[in-house]
Amino acid sequence: VPSIPASGTTDIYIYYGNDSVTTTSSGSDTWLFFDDFETWSGWRDYKSGTVYQDTSTFGFACLKKDSNNDPNGGYKDMGITVSTFRFLAREYRPNLGGGAYDRFGLEDSGFNGYTIYKQAKTAGTGRWGFERRKNGKSVQKWYVSVAHPCNDWYICELLRSQTGRIIANEYDDLHNLIGSISAVDTTYGSFSRVVVHGGYPYYLDWIAVGNYIEPEPSHSSWGPEESISP
């Protein structure tokens, strides 16, 4: 969907039922930025941190964050600059050593921006929220208590609207919302890098960055079903 007007409607067509076609699913064609780490490219270590491709732990490619705690980690230039965004990542934290907090999100070329703030080294309830970072370091945190024990996958979402409202949502791997917090912060408004900070070790299955506007467009109704010959 290339665009949706501020007022009015846009028709979206969904095609299904042709068993002879192959998938054209593409994260890079769907999102402004997408990385599932199947091809390891563009990532750089930040300070004394280490990020690298791991293909053995789960049987599929992941980013593994290792070696030294926050602010150490890694980053990748997106090739674009955004001001509003929907940042999504699938994250896993094993119950092992290292620092307790996973931190990943968007920053500018000076490492100023906003990241997820998750107390992940926990057997039960821990902190969930987001933080403002300056020069790669945390300077302000917003968080709530959430039950998100280790050794499981979670979907982490960070939103920034055109008014500067920032929302951090955490979902279990079945997409059930388990934690949310929001606040307005307009300190930074331009972001060009995906960053991975925090403790270690933890894993990211994929990262996606797309557009976000508040309020979001809504779906009103389904139109009539149409038949199309192959």
Side-chain angles (χ1 to χ4, degrees), residues 52-110:
Y52 56 89
Q53 183 192 52
D54 180 294
T55 59
S56 60
T57 302
F58 302 101
F60 52 85
C62 293
L63 178 150
K64 183 176 183 180
K65 196 280 180 183
D66 216 342
S67 304
N68 298 302
N69 295 326
D70 194 67
N72 305 289
Y75 68 95
K76 181 176 181 176
D77 291 321
M78 293 191 294
I80 57 171
T81 299
V82 298
S83 57
T84 62
F85 59 80
R86 179 189 302 274
F87 172 92
L88 282 165
R90 186 172 183 247
E91 175 260 3
Y92 182 100
R93 178 63 179 257
N95 191 17
L96 299 174
Y101 294 90
D102 298 351
R103 299 154 131 138
F104 44 96
L106 296 185
E107 294 175 352
D108 61 22
S109 60

Side-chain angles (χ1 to χ4, degrees), residues 17 75 127 185 225:
Y75 68 95
R127 294 179 180 182
D185 189 277
E225 187 177 43

Side-chain angles (χ1 to χ4, degrees), residues 66-178:
D66 216 342
S67 304
N68 298 302
N69 295 326
D70 194 67
N72 305 289
Y75 68 95
K76 181 176 181 176
D77 291 321
M78 293 191 294
I80 57 171
T81 299
V82 298
S83 57
T84 62
F85 59 80
R86 179 189 302 274
F87 172 92
L88 282 165
R90 186 172 183 247
E91 175 260 3
Y92 182 100
R93 178 63 179 257
N95 191 17
L96 299 174
Y101 294 90
D102 298 351
R103 299 154 131 138
F104 44 96
L106 296 185
E107 294 175 352
D108 61 22
S109 60
F111 298 98
N112 307 303
Y114 303 94
T115 66
I116 296 293
Y117 173 66
K118 178 179 179 181
Q119 186 180 18
K121 187 182 173 184
T122 171
T125 300
R127 294 179 180 182
W128 165 260
F130 67 94
E131 60 186 1
R132 182 173 74 239
R133 302 181 69 90
K134 180 179 181 181
N135 299 325
K137 297 181 180 180
S138 175
V139 293
Q140 177 69 49
K141 302 177 182 67
W142 296 261
Y143 59 87
V144 293
S145 294
V146 174
H148 51 205
C150 292
N151 302 320
D152 208 349
W153 288 99
Y154 297 91
I155 307 298
C156 303
E157 181 179 52
L158 189 65
L159 309 170
R160 185 180 188 274
S161 76
Q162 67 276 21
T163 64
R165 193 163 88 99
I166 301 171
I167 308 164
N169 296 321
E170 186 179 25
Y171 304 86
D172 65 22
D173 210 30
L174 297 176
H175 299 269
N176 298 304
L177 181 66
I178 59 175

